[in-house]
Amino acid sequence: MIELRGLTKRFGANTVLDGIDLDIAEGEIVVVIGPSGTGKSTLLRCFNLLERPDAGRLTIDGLTLDLAHCDRRQALALRRRTAFVFQNYALFANKNALDNIAERLIIVDRLPKREAHARAREILARVGLANRETSYPSSLSGGQQQRIGIGRAMAANAALMLFDEPTSALDPEWVDEVLAVMKDLALARQTMLVVTHEMRFARDLADRVIFMEGGRIVEQGPPSELFTRPADPRTRAFLRKVL
Ligand code: ADP
Ligand code: MG
């Protein structure tokens, strides 16, 4: 169980996250939707301290920390429990597909290179890129690069995977292959928090959909309810635009 309490983040006078409380069960697939500029990315980035919040308490996988004040050692402990998939893939341009995935296994988990490569090969196969081991990011399609981005996050074996609009930088032709990898993870009950505009993914795979606006959770529920009977007028207005 992941438990977040009172997450608050300001940029200057702008309160971007206004006391967010969020529990995520093990194996739960949670999708976050909402207008742009509403704090979705910041929420995800605070979860692994890519962004330092002003307040917030998080319990994850046996670790409890004060997100605003924790030290470097605790921040590292948190990062070991989370994995982030970025909109723009954020791969190492100077490393091939295999090494992009093996990197964390070698540096963070300190696996011997042979073991790290063996594990990275399994992951490449799982994301459908067994034949691209030695390819560099620049020679791969956006869809292939993002599948490696997800593979790299899978290597972390994290208690929580965070996806920040993983398909929105892709040409439409590559979206489905990336969603297929995410679906595979969802069906394997990898706990994940996903910001996406892909309402099909939300409808078919989310256990819960959260609608955020103005730095707050406005409404949440199973997709079958939130999409068909939204209670809040702001949710209704947003869904009218995207569904
Ligand atoms: P979303 O992902 O929902 O589009 P963001 O979390 O990216 O929203 O941004 C929420 C708000 O925080 C926006 O008003 C944005 O301008 C602001 N913001 C995000 N990052 C920064 C930053 N590094 N410095 C200042 N303001 C930021
Ligand atoms: Mg965003």
Side-chain angles (χ1 to χ4, degrees), residues 69-242:
H69 301 107
C70 67
D71 61 22
R72 202 183 127 71
R73 190 181 51 83
Q74 288 177 307
L76 283 173
L78 172 58
R79 292 202 182 109
R80 280 172 175 274
R81 288 164 169 78
T82 56
F84 207 103
V85 176
F86 297 89
Q87 184 175 357
N88 62 357
Y89 336 129
L91 299 180
F92 302 110
N94 62 341
K95 289 187 194 295
N96 67 29
L98 190 72
D99 288 329
N100 260 284
I101 294 175
E103 154 92 16
R104 170 156 177 165
L105 297 168
I106 294 168
I107 304 294
V108 181
D109 301 328
R110 302 192 181 282
L111 285 190
K113 202 167 172 177
R114 260 174 57 103
E115 253 177 74
H117 279 173
R119 175 87 185 101
R121 274 192 192 99
E122 290 171 15
I123 293 171
L124 270 181
R126 194 156 161 214
V127 300
L129 292 170
N131 57 342
R132 303 313 296 263
E133 247 180 60
T134 58
S135 300
Y136 284 81
S138 59
S139 71
L140 297 170
S141 73
Q144 290 171 326
Q145 290 185 64
Q146 188 59 301
R147 284 190 277 153
I148 291 169
I150 296 173
R152 200 177 50 178
M154 287 162 67
N157 203 13
L160 176 66
M161 278 178 82
L162 302 157
F163 292 81
D164 191 5
E165 299 199 23
T167 59
S168 47
L170 295 172
D171 290 336
E173 59 191 308
W174 308 127
V175 169
D176 283 349
E177 64 185 46
V178 169
L179 290 176
V181 171
M182 292 171 64
K183 177 174 179 178
D184 174 50
L185 285 168
L187 295 177
R189 303 320 292 178
Q190 163 68 54
T191 313
M192 48 173 117
L193 183 59
V194 183
V195 175
T196 185
H197 299 300
E198 290 294 333
M199 295 300 147
R200 276 177 309 152
F201 180 85
R203 199 179 48 216
D204 298 345
L205 292 162
D207 297 302
R208 177 162 40 126
V209 178
I210 293 177
F211 174 69
M212 265 182 80
E213 195 174 287
R216 295 192 181 167
I217 293 175
V218 171
E219 181 171 358
Q220 55 184 313
S224 55
E225 285 172 25
L226 192 106
F227 287 150
T228 54
R229 292 187 295 278
D232 193 283
R234 289 168 291 179
T235 317
R236 283 200 289 273
F238 178 79
L239 289 175
R240 258 200 305 278
K241 276 182 239 156
V242 298

Side-chain angles (χ1 to χ4, degrees), residues 11 14 16 35-43 51 165:
F11 289 110
N14 185 8
V16 170
S36 87
T38 223
K40 304 181 301 295
S41 294
T42 307
L43 169 67
E51 208 72 74
E165 299 199 23

